[in-house]
Amino acid sequence: MPVARDEPLLHAARARAQASIDELRPHVGSPLQVGVKIPLRNAADEIEHVWGTPESLDAASVTLRIVTPFVDGALPPEPVTVAVAEIEDWQVFLDDGRILGGFGTRAQMAVARRDGHPIPEHVLAQEARFVDA
């Protein structure tokens, strides 16, 4: 669901994700499915916003394996380390089916509804499962 980068709801979602990083920390390295969204430069030197599985998270940086391929299908071969300040969104799939976080995803759904755009079925199926951090 494409959303303009200057969309106020997206900026608010990123701020919520950043403000709740401490809620993410206990889940990094756990057996739960954990995702972190970051901006990353592709081979064409363009920024893409991709999801990865965090391997470590300290006060300054997060190291993750990218799981969302770039538009050209490529994935970085090694773990990627970026500053914590680069985290745009995060989500944790809890054992009981709830999804902790997902602030950007929720903002994208709100913008799609507001602007009359369709929301993919797999995203709609998750909507009721999101809980605040």
Side-chain angles (χ1 to χ4, degrees), residues 60-119:
S61 63
V62 59
T63 299
L64 53 148
R65 290 203 178 270
I66 303 302
V67 296
T68 307
F70 288 129
V71 171
D72 69 2
L75 283 173
E78 299 295 326
V80 174
T81 301
V82 299
V84 167
E86 294 295 311
I87 294 175
E88 298 177 328
D89 198 6
W90 61 267
Q91 56 189 31
V92 178
F93 292 81
L94 300 170
D95 285 336
D96 63 7
R98 294 176 304 145
I99 304 170
L100 188 63
F103 309 106
T105 303
R106 291 190 260 178
Q108 287 177 305
M109 285 189 286
V111 170
R113 281 196 178 95
R114 180 194 70 201
D115 296 347
H117 297 294
I119 301 171

Coordinates of all heavy atoms in Angstrom, one line a residue, residues 60-119:
A60 N 22.4 1.6 20.6 CA 22.7 2.4 19.4 C 22.3 1.8 18.1 O 22.1 2.5 17.1 CB 24.2 2.8 19.4
S61 N 22.3 0.5 18.0 CA 22.1 -0.1 16.7 C 21.3 -1.4 16.7 O 21.2 -2.0 17.8 CB 23.5 -0.4 16.0 OG 24.2 -1.4 16.8
V62 N 20.8 -1.8 15.6 CA 20.1 -3.0 15.4 C 20.8 -3.8 14.2 O 21.1 -3.2 13.2 CB 18.6 -2.8 15.2 CG1 18.3 -2.0 13.9 CG2 17.8 -4.1 15.1
T63 N 21.0 -5.1 14.4 CA 21.5 -5.9 13.4 C 20.4 -6.9 13.0 O 19.8 -7.5 13.8 CB 22.7 -6.7 13.8 OG1 23.8 -5.7 14.2 CG2 23.3 -7.6 12.8
L64 N 20.1 -7.0 11.7 CA 19.0 -7.8 11.2 C 19.3 -8.5 9.9 O 20.2 -8.0 9.1 CB 17.7 -7.0 11.1 CG 17.7 -5.7 10.3 CD1 16.3 -5.5 9.7 CD2 18.0 -4.6 11.2
R65 N 18.6 -9.6 9.6 CA 18.7 -10.2 8.3 C 17.4 -9.8 7.6 O 16.3 -9.9 8.1 CB 18.7 -11.8 8.5 CG 19.9 -12.3 9.0 CD 20.1 -13.8 8.7 NE 21.4 -14.2 9.2 CZ 22.5 -14.2 8.5 NH1 22.6 -13.7 7.3 NH2 23.6 -14.6 9.1
I66 N 17.7 -9.2 6.4 CA 16.6 -8.7 5.6 C 15.7 -9.9 5.0 O 16.3 -10.8 4.5 CB 17.1 -7.8 4.5 CG1 18.0 -6.7 5.0 CG2 16.0 -7.3 3.6 CD1 17.3 -5.8 6.0
V67 N 14.4 -9.8 5.2 CA 13.5 -10.8 4.7 C 12.6 -10.4 3.5 O 12.1 -11.2 2.8 CB 12.7 -11.5 5.8 CG1 13.6 -12.2 6.8 CG2 11.8 -10.4 6.5
T68 N 12.5 -9.0 3.4 CA 11.7 -8.5 2.3 C 12.7 -8.2 1.1 O 13.6 -7.4 1.3 CB 11.1 -7.2 2.7 OG1 10.3 -7.4 3.9 CG2 10.2 -6.7 1.6
P69 N 12.6 -8.9 0.0 CA 13.5 -8.6 -1.1 C 13.3 -7.2 -1.7 O 12.2 -6.6 -1.6 CB 13.1 -9.6 -2.2 CG 11.9 -10.4 -1.7 CD 11.6 -9.9 -0.3
F70 N 14.4 -6.7 -2.2 CA 14.3 -5.4 -2.9 C 13.4 -5.6 -4.2 O 13.1 -6.7 -4.5 CB 15.7 -4.9 -3.4 CG 16.6 -4.5 -2.3 CD1 17.9 -5.0 -2.2 CD2 16.2 -3.5 -1.4 CE1 18.7 -4.6 -1.2 CE2 17.0 -3.1 -0.4 CZ 18.3 -3.6 -0.3
V71 N 13.0 -4.5 -4.8 CA 12.1 -4.5 -5.9 C 12.7 -5.5 -7.0 O 12.0 -6.2 -7.7 CB 11.9 -3.1 -6.5 CG1 11.2 -3.2 -7.8 CG2 11.1 -2.3 -5.5
D72 N 14.1 -5.5 -7.1 CA 14.7 -6.3 -8.2 C 14.9 -7.8 -7.7 O 15.4 -8.6 -8.4 CB 16.1 -5.7 -8.6 CG 17.1 -5.8 -7.5 OD1 16.9 -6.4 -6.4 OD2 18.3 -5.4 -7.8
G73 N 14.4 -8.1 -6.5 CA 14.4 -9.4 -6.0 C 15.6 -9.8 -5.2 O 15.7 -10.9 -4.6
A74 N 16.6 -8.9 -5.1 CA 17.8 -9.2 -4.4 C 17.6 -9.0 -2.9 O 16.8 -8.2 -2.4 CB 19.0 -8.3 -4.9
L75 N 18.4 -9.8 -2.1 CA 18.5 -9.6 -0.7 C 19.9 -9.4 -0.3 O 20.8 -10.0 -0.8 CB 18.0 -10.9 0.0 CG 16.5 -11.1 0.1 CD1 16.2 -12.5 0.7 CD2 15.8 -10.1 1.0
P76 N 20.2 -8.5 0.7 CA 21.6 -8.4 1.2 C 22.0 -9.8 1.7 O 21.3 -10.4 2.5 CB 21.5 -7.4 2.3 CG 20.3 -6.6 2.0 CD 19.3 -7.6 1.4
P77 N 23.2 -10.3 1.4 CA 23.7 -11.6 1.8 C 24.0 -11.7 3.2 O 24.0 -12.8 3.8 CB 24.9 -11.9 0.9 CG 25.4 -10.5 0.6 CD 24.2 -9.6 0.5
E78 N 24.4 -10.6 3.9 CA 24.9 -10.7 5.3 C 23.9 -9.9 6.1 O 23.1 -9.1 5.6 CB 26.3 -10.0 5.3 CG 27.3 -10.7 4.5 CD 27.6 -12.1 5.0 OE1 27.6 -12.4 6.2 OE2 27.9 -13.0 4.2
P79 N 24.0 -10.1 7.4 CA 23.2 -9.2 8.3 C 23.5 -7.7 8.1 O 24.7 -7.4 7.7 CB 23.6 -9.7 9.7 CG 24.1 -11.0 9.5 CD 24.7 -11.1 8.2
V80 N 22.6 -6.9 8.3 CA 22.7 -5.4 8.1 C 22.6 -4.8 9.5 O 21.8 -5.2 10.2 CB 21.6 -4.9 7.1 CG1 21.7 -3.4 7.1 CG2 21.7 -5.5 5.8
T81 N 23.5 -3.8 9.7 CA 23.5 -3.1 11.0 C 23.2 -1.6 10.7 O 23.9 -1.1 9.8 CB 24.8 -3.2 11.8 OG1 25.0 -4.6 12.1 CG2 24.7 -2.5 13.1
V82 N 22.2 -1.1 11.4 CA 21.8 0.3 11.2 C 21.6 0.9 12.6 O 21.4 0.2 13.6 CB 20.6 0.5 10.3 CG1 20.8 0.0 8.9 CG2 19.3 -0.1 10.9
A83 N 21.5 2.2 12.6 CA 21.3 2.9 13.9 C 19.8 2.7 14.3 O 18.9 2.6 13.5 CB 21.5 4.4 13.7
V84 N 19.6 2.6 15.6 CA 18.2 2.4 16.2 C 17.3 3.5 15.6 O 16.1 3.3 15.4 CB 18.3 2.3 17.7 CG1 16.9 2.5 18.3 CG2 18.9 1.1 18.2
A85 N 17.9 4.7 15.5 CA 17.1 5.8 15.0 C 16.5 5.6 13.6 O 15.6 6.3 13.1 CB 17.9 7.1 15.0
E86 N 17.1 4.6 12.9 CA 16.6 4.3 11.5 C 15.3 3.4 11.5 O 14.7 3.2 10.5 CB 17.7 3.6 10.7 CG 18.9 4.5 10.4 CD 18.5 5.7 9.5 OE1 17.8 5.5 8.5 OE2 18.8 6.8 9.9
I87 N 15.0 2.8 12.6 CA 13.9 1.9 12.7 C 12.6 2.7 12.4 O 12.3 3.7 13.1 CB 13.8 1.2 14.1 CG1 15.0 0.3 14.3 CG2 12.4 0.4 14.2 CD1 15.0 -0.4 15.6
E88 N 11.9 2.2 11.4 CA 10.6 2.9 11.0 C 9.4 2.3 11.6 O 8.4 2.9 11.8 CB 10.5 2.9 9.5 CG 11.6 3.6 8.8 CD 11.5 3.5 7.3 OE1 11.0 2.5 6.7 OE2 11.9 4.5 6.6
D89 N 9.5 1.0 11.8 CA 8.3 0.2 12.4 C 8.9 -1.1 12.9 O 10.0 -1.5 12.6 CB 7.3 -0.1 11.3 CG 5.9 -0.4 11.8 OD1 5.7 -0.4 13.1 OD2 5.1 -0.8 11.0
W90 N 8.1 -1.7 13.8 CA 8.5 -3.0 14.3 C 7.2 -3.8 14.7 O 6.2 -3.1 14.9 CB 9.4 -3.0 15.4 CG 8.9 -2.2 16.6 CD1 9.1 -0.9 16.9 CD2 8.1 -2.8 17.7 NE1 8.5 -0.6 18.1 CE2 7.9 -1.7 18.6 CE3 7.6 -4.1 18.0 CZ2 7.1 -1.9 19.8 CZ3 6.9 -4.2 19.1 CH2 6.7 -3.2 20.0
Q91 N 7.2 -5.1 14.6 CA 6.1 -5.9 15.1 C 6.6 -7.2 15.6 O 7.6 -7.7 15.1 CB 5.0 -6.0 14.0 CG 5.4 -6.5 12.7 CD 4.3 -6.4 11.7 OE1 3.5 -5.5 11.7 NE2 4.3 -7.3 10.8
V92 N 5.8 -7.7 16.6 CA 6.1 -9.0 17.2 C 4.8 -9.8 17.1 O 3.7 -9.4 17.6 CB 6.5 -8.9 18.6 CG1 6.8 -10.2 19.3 CG2 7.8 -8.0 18.8
F93 N 4.9 -11.0 16.5 CA 3.7 -11.9 16.5 C 3.8 -12.8 17.7 O 4.6 -13.7 17.9 CB 3.8 -12.8 15.2 CG 3.6 -12.0 13.9 CD1 4.6 -11.3 13.4 CD2 2.4 -12.0 13.3 CE1 4.5 -10.5 12.2 CE2 2.2 -11.2 12.2 CZ 3.2 -10.5 11.6
L94 N 2.8 -12.5 18.6 CA 2.8 -13.1 19.9 C 2.2 -14.5 19.8 O 1.4 -14.8 18.9 CB 2.0 -12.3 20.9 CG 2.6 -10.9 21.2 CD1 1.6 -10.0 22.0 CD2 3.9 -11.0 21.9
D95 N 2.5 -15.4 20.8 CA 2.0 -16.8 20.7 C 0.4 -16.9 20.7 O -0.1 -17.8 20.2 CB 2.5 -17.6 22.0 CG 4.0 -18.0 21.8 OD1 4.4 -18.1 20.7 OD2 4.6 -18.2 22.8
D96 N -0.2 -15.9 21.3 CA -1.7 -15.9 21.4 C -2.4 -15.3 20.1 O -3.6 -15.2 20.1 CB -2.2 -15.2 22.6 CG -1.8 -13.7 22.7 OD1 -1.3 -13.2 21.7 OD2 -2.1 -13.1 23.7
G97 N -1.6 -15.0 19.1 CA -2.1 -14.5 17.9 C -2.1 -13.0 17.7 O -2.3 -12.5 16.6
R98 N -1.9 -12.3 18.8 CA -1.9 -10.8 18.8 C -0.6 -10.4 18.1 O 0.4 -11.1 18.1 CB -2.0 -10.2 20.1 CG -3.4 -10.5 20.8 CD -3.4 -9.9 22.2 NE -2.3 -10.5 23.0 CZ -1.7 -9.8 24.0 NH1 -2.0 -8.6 24.3 NH2 -0.7 -10.5 24.7
I99 N -0.6 -9.2 17.6 CA 0.6 -8.6 17.0 C 0.9 -7.3 17.7 O 0.1 -6.3 17.7 CB 0.4 -8.3 15.5 CG1 -0.1 -9.5 14.7 CG2 1.7 -7.7 14.9 CD1 -0.5 -9.3 13.3
L100 N 2.0 -7.3 18.4 CA 2.5 -6.1 19.1 C 3.2 -5.2 18.1 O 4.0 -5.6 17.3 CB 3.4 -6.6 20.2 CG 3.9 -5.6 21.2 CD1 2.7 -5.0 22.1 CD2 4.9 -6.2 22.1
G101 N 2.9 -3.9 18.2 CA 3.5 -2.9 17.3 C 2.8 -2.8 16.0 O 1.5 -2.7 16.0
G102 N 3.5 -2.8 14.9 CA 2.9 -2.6 13.6 C 2.3 -1.2 13.3 O 1.3 -1.1 12.7
F103 N 2.9 -0.2 13.9 CA 2.3 1.1 13.8 C 2.2 1.7 12.4 O 1.3 2.3 12.0 CB 3.2 2.1 14.7 CG 3.4 1.6 16.1 CD1 4.6 1.1 16.5 CD2 2.4 1.6 17.0 CE1 4.8 0.6 17.7 CE2 2.5 1.1 18.3 CZ 3.8 0.6 18.7
G104 N 3.3 1.4 11.6 CA 3.3 1.9 10.2 C 2.3 1.1 9.4 O 1.6 1.7 8.5
T105 N 2.1 -0.2 9.6 CA 1.1 -1.0 8.9 C -0.3 -0.4 9.2 O -1.1 -0.3 8.3 CB 1.2 -2.4 9.3 OG1 2.6 -2.9 9.1 CG2 0.2 -3.3 8.6
R106 N -0.5 -0.1 10.4 CA -1.8 0.4 10.8 C -2.1 1.8 10.2 O -3.2 2.1 9.7 CB -2.0 0.5 12.3 CG -2.1 -0.9 13.0 CD -2.5 -0.8 14.4 NE -1.3 -0.9 15.2 CZ -1.3 -0.9 16.6 NH1 -2.4 -0.6 17.2 NH2 -0.2 -1.1 17.3
A107 N -1.0 2.6 10.1 CA -1.1 3.9 9.5 C -1.4 3.8 8.0 O -2.3 4.5 7.4 CB 0.1 4.7 9.7
Q108 N -0.8 2.8 7.3 CA -1.0 2.6 5.9 C -2.4 2.2 5.7 O -3.0 2.6 4.7 CB 0.0 1.5 5.4 CG 1.4 2.0 5.2 CD 2.3 0.9 4.8 OE1 2.4 -0.2 5.4 NE2 3.0 1.2 3.7
M109 N -3.0 1.3 6.5 CA -4.4 0.9 6.4 C -5.3 2.1 6.5 O -6.3 2.3 5.8 CB -4.8 -0.2 7.4 CG -4.2 -1.5 7.1 SD -4.9 -2.8 8.1 CE -4.0 -2.5 9.6
A110 N -5.0 3.0 7.5 CA -5.9 4.2 7.7 C -5.8 5.1 6.5 O -6.9 5.6 6.0 CB -5.4 4.9 8.9
V111 N -4.6 5.3 5.9 CA -4.5 6.1 4.7 C -5.2 5.5 3.5 O -5.9 6.2 2.8 CB -3.0 6.4 4.4 CG1 -2.9 7.1 3.0 CG2 -2.4 7.2 5.5
A112 N -5.1 4.2 3.4 CA -5.8 3.5 2.3 C -7.3 3.7 2.4 O -8.0 4.0 1.4 CB -5.4 2.0 2.2
R113 N -7.8 3.5 3.6 CA -9.3 3.7 3.8 C -9.7 5.2 3.5 O -10.7 5.4 2.8 CB -9.7 3.3 5.2 CG -9.8 1.9 5.4 CD -10.5 1.5 6.7 NE -10.7 0.1 6.8 CZ -9.8 -0.7 7.5 NH1 -8.8 -0.1 8.2 NH2 -10.0 -2.0 7.5
R114 N -8.9 6.1 4.0 CA -9.2 7.5 3.8 C -9.2 7.9 2.4 O -10.1 8.6 1.9 CB -8.2 8.3 4.6 CG -8.4 9.8 4.5 CD -7.2 10.6 4.9 NE -6.1 10.5 4.0 CZ -4.8 10.7 4.2 NH1 -4.4 11.0 5.5 NH2 -3.9 10.5 3.3
D115 N -8.2 7.3 1.6 CA -8.1 7.7 0.2 C -8.8 6.8 -0.8 O -8.7 7.0 -2.0 CB -6.6 7.8 -0.1 CG -5.8 8.9 0.6 OD1 -6.5 9.7 1.3 OD2 -4.6 8.8 0.6
G116 N -9.5 5.8 -0.2 CA -10.3 4.9 -1.1 C -9.5 3.9 -1.8 O -9.9 3.4 -2.9
H117 N -8.4 3.5 -1.3 CA -7.6 2.4 -1.9 C -7.8 1.1 -1.3 O -8.1 1.0 -0.1 CB -6.1 2.8 -1.8 CG -5.7 4.1 -2.5 ND1 -5.8 4.2 -3.9 CD2 -5.3 5.2 -2.0 CE1 -5.4 5.5 -4.2 NE2 -5.1 6.1 -3.1
P118 N -7.7 0.0 -2.1 CA -7.9 -1.3 -1.5 C -6.7 -1.7 -0.6 O -5.6 -1.2 -0.7 CB -7.9 -2.2 -2.8 CG -7.1 -1.5 -3.8 CD -7.3 0.0 -3.5
I119 N -7.1 -2.5 0.4 CA -6.1 -3.0 1.3 C -6.0 -4.5 1.1 O -7.0 -5.2 1.0 CB -6.6 -2.8 2.8 CG1 -6.8 -1.3 3.0 CG2 -5.6 -3.4 3.8 CD1 -7.4 -1.0 4.4

